[in-house]
Amino acid sequence: MKRKSFSLGRFIYDNTTAFMMLGIFAFFSVFAEGFLSIGNITTVLSSSSVLLLVSIGMCFVVISGGTDLSVAAAYGMGGLVCVYAIRAGIPAEAGILLALAAGLVFGLINSFLILKVGISVWLATLGTLFIGESIERIVTKGGTPVYLSGVDGVFKSIGQGTVVNIVQKGANITIKSSIVLALIIAVAAAFILKKTVLGRHLYAAGLQRRAAELSGVSVGKCVTIAFVVSGACCCLAGVIGGAQLSSYIPVNGRYYLLDAIGTVFIGSTMHRRGFANVGGTIVGVIFFGFLTNGLNLIGVQFYWQYVIRGGLILFVLAVNAYQRNVWALRTRRHQ
């Protein structure tokens, strides 16, 4: 059997995002004091749980062939339902379950509008985004934050609980329970997408819808599952966000919408064929987390941070697209 020869171009193409991350780490390690300290690294990782959950939900929808603009509203609804349930005297455990149920309903509404009514994915999820955020404002009488006091137990633990806390030589190494939960869900999602029939059907539905239908794949079922998973993940993220702040901040989910899209598509550059995947999405979340942290440490104003982040995203995607086109051309020439 003939062994494949090493190709520098292919290696660069397969690892564009990894090289970008190494470059960012090298830059901030020189110019941002304390960037590579163990305490800073664990803090950034622990603070990434909410974005990771929202991004996992987005990843499922992208794999199935769409984009979910309503993740911001689903995040808000999760926090709203849970916080108001607790304020009404309902046990925190029941409040969390109600928030997850709200996520399921959110996903079912999106899939109904897309599959049964025939509205395009972009317009359907844009509509539910506006409606969901309007409900947040109506319930909170214009967008007034809702604060909780004296909350303990599961609700506090899910957002503020600590799994590991080591103080050594002045460094505080902290791993929050929220990131552990998010990583467990990420591992389960990766297993489903990579090792199960459902995962293969989701990819088939997104890549070649008509061919998938002819092969007996229920595309409608796949789309519904993708949106339900997205709604549940985002509502759980909203619960964690509310627990971290001990409050509910209306329309706070907008902060995660564009980041979630960015992490999924940056993560797709980690796949040889450019497919969205959970492993790459995790890398995208880490990419955003350390980029934001490094920019804050060197004192870059927040409004310039968005310029830099947008430019880096475009750069990664442009380089990846260029490498893909070059590699495809070379492959055709050698066939």
Side-chain angles (χ1 to χ4, degrees), residues 143-317:
T144 304
V146 179
Y147 299 99
L148 295 174
S149 61
V151 177
D152 294 310
V154 174
F155 183 71
K156 185 175 181 179
S157 297
I158 201 174
Q160 302 177 31
T162 300
V163 176
V164 176
N165 188 24
I166 301 173
V167 179
Q168 187 175 13
K169 295 180 180 180
N172 189 10
I173 303 172
T174 304
I175 302 296
K176 295 291 187 179
S177 56
S178 57
I179 190 61
V180 174
L181 175 60
L183 287 173
I184 291 172
I185 293 174
V187 170
F191 177 82
I192 291 171
L193 291 173
K194 198 169 184 180
K195 299 294 184 180
T196 67
V197 174
L198 172 60
R200 291 193 290 272
H201 285 182
L202 284 169
Y203 274 108
L207 292 171
Q208 296 186 9
R209 184 181 186 121
R210 182 56 181 162
E213 290 175 341
L214 293 175
S215 300
V217 175
S218 177
V219 173
K221 181 180 178 181
C222 290
V223 171
T224 300
I225 290 173
F227 275 100
V228 166
V229 169
S230 178
C233 284
C234 292
C235 280
L236 178 58
V239 172
I240 292 175
Q244 289 174 340
L245 300 173
S246 294
S247 63
Y248 168 67
I249 311 297
V251 200
N252 198 34
R254 278 285 180 102
Y255 175 79
Y256 300 103
L257 171 57
L258 298 181
D259 280 3
I261 295 173
T263 57
V264 172
F265 282 97
I266 283 180
S268 69
T269 66
M270 304 289 289
H271 193 283
R272 286 198 168 195
R273 297 179 65 183
F275 298 163
N277 61 96
V278 173
T281 298
I282 294 174
V283 173
V285 171
I286 295 173
F287 177 93
F288 271 27
F290 281 103
L291 176 60
T292 301
N293 175 253
L295 292 173
N296 286 331
L297 288 176
I298 63 176
V300 177
Q301 297 293 334
F302 74 93
Y303 42 81
W304 279 108
Q305 289 186 22
Y306 284 98
V307 176
I308 295 171
R309 291 166 68 182
L312 286 173
I313 291 172
L314 290 175
F315 179 77
V316 171
L317 296 177

